[in-house]
Amino acid sequence: MAEPKENVLMEKIVSLCKRRGFIYQSSEIYGGINGFWDYGPLGAELKRNVKDLWWRAMVHTREDVVGLGATIIMAAQNGKASGKFDTFADLMRECPLTKKRVRADQVETQGGTVFRYTGARSPTTGWAVEKAFAVLEPKGERHDPARKKARQFYALGLLDKALGSADTLELLGETISKVTSSTDFHPESGVEMTEPRPFNLMFKTYVGPVADEENVAYLRPETAQAIFAQFKNVLETSRQKVPFGIAQTGKAFRNEVTPRNYTFLSREFEQMELEFFIKPDEAVEAICGRVASVAEVSAANIQHPASNIQHPMPRPEWGWEAWHTYWVEERIRFYESIGLPRATLEEYWQKPDELAHYARATVDILFKFPFGTQELEGIAARSDFDLSQHERFSGKQMGVFDEDLRIAWGKLEEAQRQKLWQRYYDARHRYLTKLGVAAEQAAKEAKEDADGLAKGQYIPHVIEPSAGVDRLILALIANAYTEDQAPDEKGKMETRVVMKFHPRVAPIKVAVFPLLRNKPDLVKKAREVRDLLLPHMTVFYDDAGAIGRRYRRQDEAGTPFGLTIDFETLGEAGPELKDTVTLRDRDTMQQTRVKIGELVTLLLSKVR
Ligand code: ATP
């Protein structure tokens, strides 16, 4: 059966993460705090590597993306403009008895017998309380009288405050019915839940000494909004021209109703987000005479200068669809480059009715986690919604002036101008109408926008690849976890746990072992090797215990390479092996002899 096996795997992962210092529960000594996690020494390195690799792929190796480091607390208007006050209000339902909450869209359907009551009465005092409630006896449990009684008794807790001790109460007005697929009953207590209500997922705080409504601020629920708010500053100071992107990594906070699946759904987490600004399709068509098809994206492959993989070379005639397809593919390649094979990932194209009203397409990249295939990253084509919203709310211009467009427009034939003008007008009109702008005003503003396009002005559209660091760490850990059989010191086979991280993300790149700790010459040489490597990569020096044990410890930490300094290194087996060490590969366990002088180059070629 798949289920228990998967749970066993998750249990093993959670226990290894704690035992080896990848992830700990936050505030564990005080009983923990739900939805918050700390990264131990190995986890912190893993996380740092992942963020650095993302930054390298998205910013350093590209000419068309620049970085941003914005604050976590922003002016409250940012939330209103972005619509996040609405987006981050999930519908939630509560058990009236236990007060436990669940997200309305996440309750699994249940079938069984429903026992409904109108209230309860105390036979000793004669007092009665009228308060309707219902309890579900799930299917298969209805013949168990003890279980049924327990549930009803439990539900009496709803009334016993008013009437006294629950065990003396008598339930009133019982009716019994059946349900086959209901989502109205709390999965734990079985009590009928309250109606769905919006629950704000944003963490609230106050700026300044006075805790009043004027000073309310929120911790950002995503890193993206600051990118939009700083768009104009970045554009003006970075000498970039559309199309270009702004990248940011950092903490985000969401007061999730039911944090779950270890770090998968946390209340404090990190994101890595890119907002890639592009021209509207009408501008592309005016300049290039056409908008490229999606099929042209993969046909544009060239060798990327900073990697040995083929990447498509962006083209001026790309519109939003081509750019969106390009970014989906780039992000999958990124995952492959850090050790998540394509076969562990899935693309989920959101259906039209799942899309946000402003989104033209959204692809979720899913990973096959042990608890199910779930979202790792979302890549959304968000039209010009975000910058338009900030323009409306701040009163500051968010549009750009595009000289190429102005010149191209002047050369267009009248019929072509009319067609593009009309298309742009319609798109802006749709946006304004969706916002509830009155018909006359919407027509006036949309006309101004379309006239602006003819003069070379527009609000850039955006493609947003948005990834979660913590989910990626969990995916990397789940993917790396492997058990195999290997001989111990006495040649007896034992189970070996190996974290098969790609060397690029591995927390420790190389371990250095003197064969024996009580031989000063070996120790001296081993320390020299460690010092040689330290400026270039993370190194772990270990001289404690039998060499096989030391290898095992590093296998569990996911260290891809081990170096042993032995008597041959000292030249005791002849001059040809002097100053060579044994290099052990974590995955194959194969050992080769390498010259100390060649180590830095060799290892750097594998871990970069
Ligand atoms: P989900 O519905 O899976 O919670 P979402 O669609 O709300 O995610 P986005 O708002 O698109 O997610 O956020 C982008 C990315 O940030 C997600 O793909 C995920 O990797 C990460 N992320 C979002 N919420 C959380 C969370 N509570 N804990 C950990 N990571 C998160």
Side-chain angles (χ1 to χ4, degrees), residues 254 256 264-266 269 271 375-378 466-468 471:
R254 294 183 196 174
E256 300 285 357
F264 179 84
L265 198 67
S266 305
F269 55 98
Q271 288 186 314
E375 179 182 327
L376 198 55
E377 164 159 0
S466 168
R471 279 191 196 174

Side-chain angles (χ1 to χ4, degrees), residues 242-436:
V242 176
F244 82 102
I246 305 175
Q248 176 164 231
T249 66
K251 291 269 188 183
F253 302 81
R254 294 183 196 174
N255 199 358
E256 300 285 357
V257 183
T258 35
R260 66 177 180 286
N261 289 332
Y262 201 24
T263 57
F264 179 84
L265 198 67
S266 305
R267 288 178 163 144
E268 175 174 340
F269 55 98
E270 275 189 88
Q271 288 186 314
M272 307 185 283
E273 293 192 300
L274 169 70
E275 301 301 335
F276 196 82
F277 299 98
I278 55 173
K279 301 177 197 221
D281 279 10
E282 291 77 18
V284 173
E285 196 171 329
I287 297 167
C288 302
R290 69 188 194 97
V291 176
S293 73
V294 166
E296 289 175 61
V297 175
S298 48
N301 270 351
I302 57 137
Q303 186 91 13
H304 191 279
S307 72
N308 48 15
I309 321 170
Q310 297 264 312
H311 289 253
M313 180 71 175
R315 305 273 318 149
E317 58 270 24
W318 282 8
W320 75 264
E321 272 185 295
W323 274 112
H324 185 241
T325 307
Y326 165 82
W327 277 113
V328 172
E329 186 54 28
E330 282 297 286
R331 297 301 304 138
I332 291 178
R333 285 170 196 231
F334 171 77
Y335 290 120
E336 285 183 307
S337 76
I338 61 167
L340 291 184
R342 207 172 269 255
T344 64
L345 304 171
E346 254 175 45
E347 273 176 45
Y348 177 77
W349 289 73
Q350 286 190 11
K351 310 217 167 58
D353 62 333
E354 293 169 317
L355 288 174
H357 68 80
Y358 48 79
R360 295 194 158 162
T362 298
V363 174
D364 293 335
I365 298 182
L366 314 178
F367 174 78
K368 292 172 185 155
F369 286 98
F371 43 81
T373 302
Q374 303 219 16
E375 179 182 327
L376 198 55
E377 164 159 0
I379 301 155
R382 297 174 61 88
S383 72
D384 55 4
F385 176 78
D386 303 276
L387 288 179
S388 300
Q389 285 292 96
H390 283 289
E391 183 169 289
R392 292 189 76 73
F393 277 77
S394 69
K396 305 275 177 347
Q397 291 274 313
M398 287 290 165
V400 298
F401 171 69
D402 188 328
E403 179 68 8
D404 294 345
L405 172 61
R406 193 187 63 81
I407 295 170
W409 196 273
K411 295 181 187 159
L412 290 180
E413 288 182 9
E414 190 50 33
Q416 181 70 351
R417 276 188 201 167
Q418 267 304 320
K419 188 185 90 181
L420 296 177
W421 188 97
Q422 191 63 43
R423 252 175 38 203
Y424 197 71
Y425 173 91
D426 291 345
R428 296 297 299 167
H429 192 262
R430 259 197 311 277
Y431 157 73
L432 293 162
T433 314
K434 280 257 166 64
L435 284 189

Side-chain angles (χ1 to χ4, degrees), residues 556-605:
E556 273 193 346
T559 309
F561 306 107
L563 299 174
T564 308
I565 285 76
D566 52 22
F567 293 107
E568 281 141 1
T569 317
L570 302 178
E572 293 188 10
E576 63 284 1
L577 289 182
K578 187 168 183 319
D579 285 334
T580 65
V581 294
T582 307
L583 172 71
R584 174 193 183 258
D585 182 283
R586 173 198 67 200
D587 301 344
T588 61
M589 293 191 275
Q590 279 189 347
Q591 305 197 359
T592 43
R593 287 259 10 136
V594 180
K595 288 197 182 108
I596 291 175
E598 290 167 6
L599 276 176
V600 171
T601 316
L602 176 78
L603 290 172
L604 279 182
S605 73

